[in-house]
Structures are given as structure tokens and as C-alpha cells.
Amino acid sequence: MTDTTRTPGADGGDALVTAFNAVGADYIFCSSGSEWAPVWESLARRHRDGLPCPRYLDLTHETVAVGMATGYGLIERRPQGVLLHAAPGLLQGSMAVHGALLAGVPMVVGSSESTTYGDGPGQDPGGQWYRNLSVVGGPHQIAQPFTKWSTEAASVHTLPMMVTRAAELAWRVPAGPAYLNVPLEILLEDWDGREAKPIVRPGSTHSSPDEVDPVAQLLREARNPVIVTETAGREAGGFEALVAFAEAWHIPVVEPDSAVCGNFPRTHPLHAGSDIGPWMDEADLILLVNCRAPFYPPSRRPSRATVVVIDEVPQRPHVVYQVLFADRYLEGNVANTLRQLAKRAKDLDETAVAARGAAQEARRTAERTAITRAETLAGSAAEGAGGVDPVLVAATLRRLLDGTDAIVVDETITHSRVVRRHVRTTDPDAYFYVQGGLGQGIAVALGVKLAARERPVVLTIGDGAFTYNPVIPSYDASKAYELPLLIVVFNNRVYKSMNLNHRRFYPEGAAADTGEWLGTDLRRLPRLAAFAEPFGMHTETVDAPEALAPALERALKAVAEGTTAVVDVLVTR
């Protein structure tokens, strides 16, 4: 062991705070647990003595803690610290941790256990560990299926570098959460002061010219190519690189319904909507750019297209079943690969370019016409229709958000296509779809706002998803940390997706015969906006088309003045 000068009073709590500081965490997102007293004491000492440390956020629900770290990481793309309570807290936050894995957000998640149950020397950890909190195998075994890496820190002397290792693994592609079990006895143990080394950005990988040149030749020879992407915009510089690549080669871009973020301007002439279907039989070259699951069902193979996969880690380890039908892989950094290919856009067949340009213009014209028709019909709905057409809600949001540099976080299901199609975001980091399960949207939006305080953040959410969210802890975090959001609820008073499946699976079943649709009715819920009133937030309930725009305008004004606003819109479908 290397002898070092020990900081007076230093223990495992200091080791953990020092390590989070070293890895560059801006924040520690914490849902409190009894094991974290050593961390709180270390932070209090550092605040008193003016020493550097991450900012601590005291949050009252595990989903809020993890969800906010996810939202923050979507913008900042660097590992943050998350502390949960023992195995129960980890279980409570597990859906959000899994969501971070699917969203590709790096973070270091920690929780704890006891290893002595009061029978060892030193301070008594408390009887709750012996009676109630411990699990067989330790919480790191619980975390293993929904994290990139999961283990136990078995010594205070290795704890700092274990945090470093967790952060470095979390940051590498495919980015995601790493988990560290830090037993309470380790947190209370004396620490010798050996600190973790600050981490640096991961090095980038590059596809070689020998790999890129043949793909460039395929592009020159293709007459009807198409780009399909789900997460190109998640990569640093990926949005801009994809635009440059598509423009250089004059190739349309499809963002399927499985897209998790904005990858390409939805108003761009080369944006080709969300349906890959028209290309399955017609395309001669399909470029899957950060596209983990392009075909559904997975056996739906393109009839004649060559498939090129451009993805730093195309075979996602956390995806149980993944079918890409790849003929070629370019596995370097995606933005770099796209830039290399854009530079090779020479000697194009002008006749082929003109033909696919005309076809794309026809598609765009048809799409613009369809959007205009849908919005006109939505705006002219007869009075007494029982609410507001969801298309009108999305179109009104687009108009009011135009030029504001807003970010839209979406946790709708039934209305997700409507939101994407009619809000039509155009900029990098302007749209994110919540991953992994309903009930995280408010927290993710709060984390996005934490990372982009100067930009308006709008959460679009269904009434069913809203009820899954830890609403009170989320509103508490919004108010405590001055993170104003606009929350727009698409409230159709039903779990529509469940109802649709029941009708689809049993079109002539007993429920269809009797009208007894179980598991779907939300009409018994009270006014959803009212839950925000005790927090002094701006609330509106809208049930008529003419009331929509004024209500949203008032809400946006309240948000600009620093207050979260909740607009519960009763929609017609």
C-alpha cells in the first residue's frame, strides 16, 4: 500500500464525492437513503471550506433522480452521478435506469447494502439492513440486466478508481448507465486520501478509407437509395453530419416511429416521413444510420436493396433480438463516417439524382398537402365535438414555439405520430422521445431544462402516461430548483393503446358485444392540472378549440416568467 497524507475526518463518503468530482460530474442526483450520511457530511464540509464538488440535488423519488440525470445527459452527453437507496430504491428507479440504457445516456448509479449487519467493528449500520433492506447476492446483481456494467466496491481504497472505471465504461459507445454497489461499511471506513484521476473524453474510432470507399461507390451506383435513422442526432455532431451527407448525395431520410430523438429537420426537402414501407421493394440501397431496429416484423427483409449499416456499435448488447440484414458495416464514429462519405460525393449520375429528386418532391408535396388538410379539418371542428382535435394541439404548439429555440420532450403513445408530424422540430437537440416505459417524462424534461436553462422546454404527455409519473416529487423538483416547464396533456380520458389492442385481438369478442372494455377507462380521474395548484404553478384545462391558443399563450408566458405551467387539453380522440 502506498502511504499518503490522510485528510482529517476523511472516510468513504469523501472518497465517493472526490471521485464524482474527478470524473467531471456536474451534479449528484439523489433520492435520499440512510446510507448516504457520509456523502452528505463530505458535501457539507466542502461547502463550508469552499472546496469543489458536484452540485447536490435532493430529490424525493427515484424515478425523478434517474429521469433528471437522463434528461441532463441527453443534452450534455457526459456521465453524472445518481445515488439511490439500497436495493428497494434501485428497484424503484430501475425502469428509469433501463430507460437511460435504451436512450444511450451515460451515468454512474450507486446504491448500498450492509455487509456486517451490526456484528462487525465500528459504527452500527442499523437494524433495517438486517431485517428489511438486504437482498441475496447484493443490489449489483439486481442491476446487472438493465445496466452496461454492475459490480460492488469492496474496499474504500479502491472506491475512487471504481467510480472512474464506472464513468469511463458508461461514457463509451454504446453509452449507458453503470452501477456501483457501495456498502455502508465502506462509506464509513477511514480513507487514506488517494484520489481518482480525472477522466477525459473517449477517443474516437474511424472507418478506414478502405472501408468507406466501397460504400461511396455503392452510393454512386444507386438509383433509389434511402437513409433510415433512429438515433443519429444523439451523437455529438450527428444531426449536422447527417444533413450534410444527405444533401451531398441527394438522398431522402426516413425517421421511423422508433426514432428516439430529432435526427434531421422535419421541414427539410429531403425528409421523407416515418414510413420505410415504400422503399422495401423499391430501394436499391438502404443506409441504416444509427438504426437499431429498422424492420418490423424483423423478418420483413428488403426485396432487393443492399443494406449498409453505419453505426459505431451496430449490434446493441442490450437488444434481445436484432435483425439488420446488413451487407456492409461501417463501424467508426458515425458523425465522422458521414463526413467522410459526404466528401466523396463526386461523379454523381445526374439523371438518377434528378429522378429521385423529383420523386422526393412529389412525396413532400403530398405530405405537405396532407398536413395542411389535417390541420384545416382539426381547426374547423364543429362546436360541441367534446374537446380539441390533437392535430390542432400539435399545430398550435408549432406556431407558438416557432423561433423560440424550444425543446420538446414527448411521452405520448397514441399521439406520438401527431406530435412529431405537426410540431415538426428542425434543430439539433430539439426533440426527445422518452425511452423504456411510461412514467418518466416530467423528470426527463426537468433534466433537459437543467442542462438548457435558457431554452423553453415543453413536455407533451398523454393522460395515461401522466398518471404513471411521480407527479408530486416532480413538481417539488421543478419548484425547488427553479426549472419551469410547459406540460401539455393530451387527455382523451382513456388508455387508448390498451383499448386498441383489445379491439384488434378480439374484434368480435365478449367486450365488443357487451361494451365492457376493461383496463382502459380514465374518466374517473380528477382534473389533472389541479395537482400543480398547491405548488403555485400555472394551470389551465381546455375543452374547446377556441380556448386552446390563448391558454397555451398564457402558459408560455408563465413559463418565461419562471413558473411551470400545466395545460390539460381534453382531446377528441
Side-chain angles (χ1 to χ4, degrees):
M1 178 185 291
T2 303
D3 291 330
T4 62
T5 301
R6 181 173 168 272
T7 303
D11 58 18
D14 291 290
L16 191 60
V17 171
T18 300
F20 276 130
N21 204 52
V23 302
D26 302 315
Y27 290 92
I28 295 175
F29 299 85
C30 183
S31 178
S32 299
S34 55
E35 66 265 50
W36 300 123
V39 169
W40 299 331
E41 179 63 20
S42 174
L43 289 167
R45 270 200 303 270
R46 288 170 175 270
H47 296 158
R48 179 195 65 192
D49 299 338
L51 298 175
C53 59
R55 185 178 176 189
Y56 176 85
L57 298 186
D58 205 353
L59 305 165
T60 54
H61 196 282
E62 290 84 358
T63 298
V64 177
V66 181
M68 285 185 65
T70 299
Y72 190 84
L74 287 170
I75 299 294
E76 294 294 337
R77 299 179 173 88
R78 293 182 288 105
Q80 304 300 311
V82 178
L83 300 181
L84 308 177
H85 177 42
L90 175 63
L91 287 167
Q92 182 72 46
S94 60
M95 182 185 69
V97 178
H98 181 242
L101 180 71
L102 297 182
V105 173
M107 63 180 68
V108 178
V109 180
S111 73
S112 192
E113 64 177 334
S114 173
T115 54
T116 65
Y117 307 109
D119 278 341
Q123 299 190 57
D124 180 7
Q128 72 273 20
W129 298 96
Y130 180 54
R131 300 184 184 99
N132 195 43
L133 294 180
S134 295
V135 296
V136 175
H140 47 290
Q141 287 205 353
I142 293 175
Q144 191 171 17
F146 51 83
T147 58
K148 280 188 67 179
W149 178 81
S150 174
T151 194
E152 175 189 7
S155 166
V156 71
H157 307 297
T158 59
L159 176 57
M161 289 306 294
M162 290 289 268
V163 174
T164 295
R165 175 162 168 72
E168 289 183 334
L169 283 166
W171 209 355
R172 262 67 186 171
V173 177
Y179 173 80
L180 199 57
N181 168 22
V182 189
L184 178 53
E185 287 82 355
I186 300 300
L187 289 168
L188 291 168
E189 189 176 342
D190 288 346
W191 173 49
D192 61 15
R194 284 177 292 177
E195 297 186 358
K197 180 185 181 297
I199 64 172
V200 296
R201 285 187 172 278
S204 61
T205 59
H206 298 277
S207 297
S208 71
D210 289 343
E211 296 167 316
V212 174
D213 287 340
V215 173
Q217 187 58 34
L218 288 174
L219 287 164
R220 287 187 196 93
E221 295 169 355
R223 303 194 67 80
N224 193 21
V226 65
I227 298 164
V228 186
T229 183
E230 292 176 327
T231 64
R234 189 177 62 193
E235 312 297 329
F239 188 101
E240 298 87 344
L242 182 59
V243 171
F245 168 61
E247 289 178 344
W249 289 94
H250 306 280
I251 303 176
V253 177
V254 172
E255 287 185 285
D257 290 336
S258 52
V260 307
C261 60
N263 304 287
F264 199 81
R266 296 197 67 95
T267 57
H268 195 286
L270 288 172
H271 197 286
S274 61
D275 186 9
I276 193 177
W279 277 273
M280 294 299 288
D281 293 324
E282 298 174 10
D284 55 359
L285 179 63
I286 296 177
L287 299 135
L288 303 179
V289 181
N290 265 27
C291 198
R292 62 201 161 149
F295 312 118
Y296 189 82
S299 59
R300 187 190 182 198
R301 184 170 193 152
S303 61
R304 65 188 185 93
T306 298
V307 177
V308 176
V309 174
I310 302 174
D311 195 324
E312 196 163 358
V313 184
Q315 299 297 336
R316 305 294 170 86
H318 61 267
V319 176
V320 175
Y321 184 56
Q322 186 182 18
V323 181
L324 298 174
F325 296 119
D327 296 294
R328 284 184 178 270
Y329 287 105
L330 291 178
E331 298 188 38
N333 174 270
V334 169
N336 179 271
T337 299
L338 294 176
R339 286 191 287 264
Q340 286 194 60
L341 287 168
K343 292 177 181 177
R344 288 164 168 77
K346 301 172 183 176
D347 304 321
L348 276 62
D349 184 331
E350 298 300 332
T351 301
V353 167
R356 66 176 177 256
Q360 174 60 13
E361 178 56 32
R363 283 188 292 267
R364 289 291 294 169
T365 299
E367 173 68 359
R368 287 194 298 267
T369 300
I371 288 174
T372 300
R373 183 186 305 116
E375 293 181 0
T376 300
L377 289 173
S380 61
E383 291 186 17
V388 184
D389 192 299
V391 169
L392 181 61
V393 182
T396 304
L397 274 174
R398 182 188 71 241
R399 177 174 61 82
L400 294 177
L401 296 177
D402 185 41
T404 65
D405 196 27
I407 302 172
V408 175
V409 177
D410 187 20
E411 197 178 29
T412 61
I413 297 294
T414 303
H415 302 110
S416 59
R417 290 183 182 179
V418 169
V419 170
R420 284 193 295 266
R421 190 184 193 199
H422 294 277
V423 173
R424 286 189 282 174
T425 55
T426 59
D427 299 315
D429 292 338
Y431 172 84
F432 298 102
Y433 190 77
V434 177
Q435 297 294 293
L438 298 177
Q440 309 169 62
I442 306 177
V444 172
L446 288 170
V448 168
K449 182 65 176 179
L450 184 67
R453 287 182 177 270
E454 73 287 354
R455 298 175 67 180
V457 176
V458 180
L459 172 68
T460 53
I461 186 169
D463 52 329
F466 183 89
T467 61
Y468 287 141
N469 273 258
V471 173
I472 291 174
S474 298
Y475 288 166
D476 171 65
S478 173
K479 191 173 182 67
Y481 297 109
E482 298 180 338
L483 301 171
L485 306 174
L486 170 58
I487 300 173
V488 180
V489 184
F490 286 66
N491 188 347
N492 57 9
R493 285 83 75 201
V494 65
Y495 282 125
K496 190 67 173 286
S497 60
M498 286 80 147
N499 186 253
L500 289 174
N501 270 349
H502 194 159
R503 293 173 184 272
R504 181 162 62 93
F505 297 150
Y506 301 98
E508 299 178 358
D513 183 47
T514 64
E516 185 183 13
W517 301 106
L518 299 175
T520 63
D521 185 18
L522 294 177
R523 292 181 183 274
R524 64 183 183 269
L525 294 176
R527 286 194 309 117
L528 299 183
F531 292 98
E533 291 173 359
F535 293 89
M537 295 173 175
H538 182 92
T539 65
E540 303 253 5
T541 299
V542 177
D543 61 1
E546 64 273 12
L548 176 65
L552 289 175
E553 288 171 351
R554 289 189 295 268
L556 283 167
K557 183 175 184 292
V559 172
E561 293 171 352
T563 302
T564 285
V566 184
V567 182
D568 182 16
V569 185
L570 306 185
V571 294
T572 55
R573 53 190 168 90

